[in-house]
């Protein structure tokens, strides 16, 4: 039915980063749009994201505004984890200094959630793909840190909105989600 679509078969169950790495290696575009299967959008905004990246050659990753299915803003960009960030988050109940998403202006952030993230291939060629030792959670934090260390920028881009039906892979098994989240944070 869809002759323009190419299916890339995985022979084994792989994690988020490994699955996306398989696709990245099999493609050649200047940009890669990392996307969860539990996302939708009325307007993916590819032209706007590409124009922004073309105009800002040191921006490696662009995270659109994420919302829940009911339209509420989903937190999707944060400061890098550190003892100071953890202390600030604890003292303010994560209300000050940690979350970097929100608002209507494009801005630099430490890292953006890879539920929807457009990434410049040139930057990936320089710093490497997702670390496949992460199964799910924190692989985008690791990638963004490597990008930052190499002089690249990550930005929050609220001019495009993507609906994220969060964590559908583990909806029936919340302990798996918690375990994977802590395993990724530890790594």
């Amino acid at each position: 039915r869809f002759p323009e679509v190419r299916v890339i078969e995985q022979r084994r169950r792989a994690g988020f980063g490994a699955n996306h790495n398989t696709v990245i290696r099999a493609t050649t575009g200047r940009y890669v749009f990392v996307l969860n299967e539990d996302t939708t959008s009325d307007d993916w905004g590819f032209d706007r994201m590409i124009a922004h990246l073309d105009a800002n050659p040191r921006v490696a990753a662009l995270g659109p505004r994420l919302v829940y299915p009911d339209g509420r803003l989903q937190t999707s960009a944060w400061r890098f984890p550190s003892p100071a960030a953890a202390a600030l988050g604890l003292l303010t109940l994560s209300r000050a200094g940690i979350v970097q998403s929100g608002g209507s202006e494009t801005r630099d952030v430490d890292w953006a959630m890879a539920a929807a993230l457009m990434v410049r291939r040139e930057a990936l060629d320089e710093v490497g793909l997702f670390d496949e030792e992460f199964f799910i959670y924190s692989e985008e934090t690791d990638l963004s840190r490597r990008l930052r260390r190499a002089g690249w920028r990550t930005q929050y881009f609220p001019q495009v909105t993507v609906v994220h039906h969060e964590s559908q892979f583990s909806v029936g098994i919340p302990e798996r989600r918690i375990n994977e989240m802590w395993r990724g944070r530890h790594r």
Side-chain angles (χ1 to χ4, degrees):
R1 277 180 69 194
F2 304 99
E4 71 281 4
V5 173
R6 179 171 52 142
V7 175
I8 301 170
E9 181 182 359
Q10 289 282 85
R11 298 209 179 276
R12 64 176 177 83
R13 180 181 168 90
F16 179 91
N19 286 335
H20 282 86
N21 287 348
T22 297
V23 174
I24 293 167
R25 288 183 190 108
T27 60
T28 59
R30 289 181 302 142
Y31 303 109
V32 176
F33 194 50
V34 175
L35 188 65
N36 276 19
E37 72 281 355
D38 62 351
T39 55
T40 58
S41 184
D42 291 334
D43 174 15
W44 292 100
F46 296 129
D47 291 341
R48 291 190 305 280
M49 288 191 287
I50 289 169
H52 182 79
L53 288 166
D54 284 347
N56 296 278
R58 291 310 294 171
V59 174
L62 201 56
R65 178 178 177 259
L66 295 182
V67 297
Y68 292 104
D70 65 5
R72 288 178 299 123
L73 180 67
Q74 182 177 8
T75 304
S76 61
W78 297 269
R79 293 202 182 284
F80 288 126
S82 70
L88 182 59
L90 183 62
L91 291 173
T92 66
L93 302 174
S94 296
R95 293 178 191 231
I98 306 300
V99 174
Q100 295 182 311
S101 51
S104 61
E105 299 299 318
T106 299
R107 67 175 166 284
D108 285 4
V109 297
D110 286 355
W111 69 277
M113 189 185 307
L117 187 68
M118 187 166 283
V119 186
R120 185 182 303 271
R121 183 177 300 276
E122 174 189 359
L124 292 173
D125 289 344
E126 182 178 335
V127 305
L129 304 179
F130 288 109
D131 179 341
E132 296 186 15
E133 292 298 315
F134 291 94
F135 183 76
I136 190 168
Y137 301 124
S138 297
E139 59 277 283
E140 69 268 78
T141 311
D142 171 72
L143 177 61
S144 292
R145 188 179 296 272
R146 288 185 283 126
L147 288 166
R148 169 79 58 88
R149 286 180 178 151
W152 293 97
R153 295 163 49 206
T154 298
Q155 289 189 326
Y156 172 68
F157 191 72
Q159 290 76 17
V160 172
T161 299
V162 173
V163 179
H164 183 209
H165 307 264
E166 186 181 30
S167 298
Q168 295 303 303
F169 99 100
S170 61
V171 73
I173 43 174
E175 68 277 2
R176 179 176 178 203
R177 179 179 181 199
I178 293 166
N179 290 340
E180 288 298 338
M181 190 174 300
W182 283 108
R183 191 174 81 75
R185 286 181 181 176
H186 176 73
R187 179 161 176 70

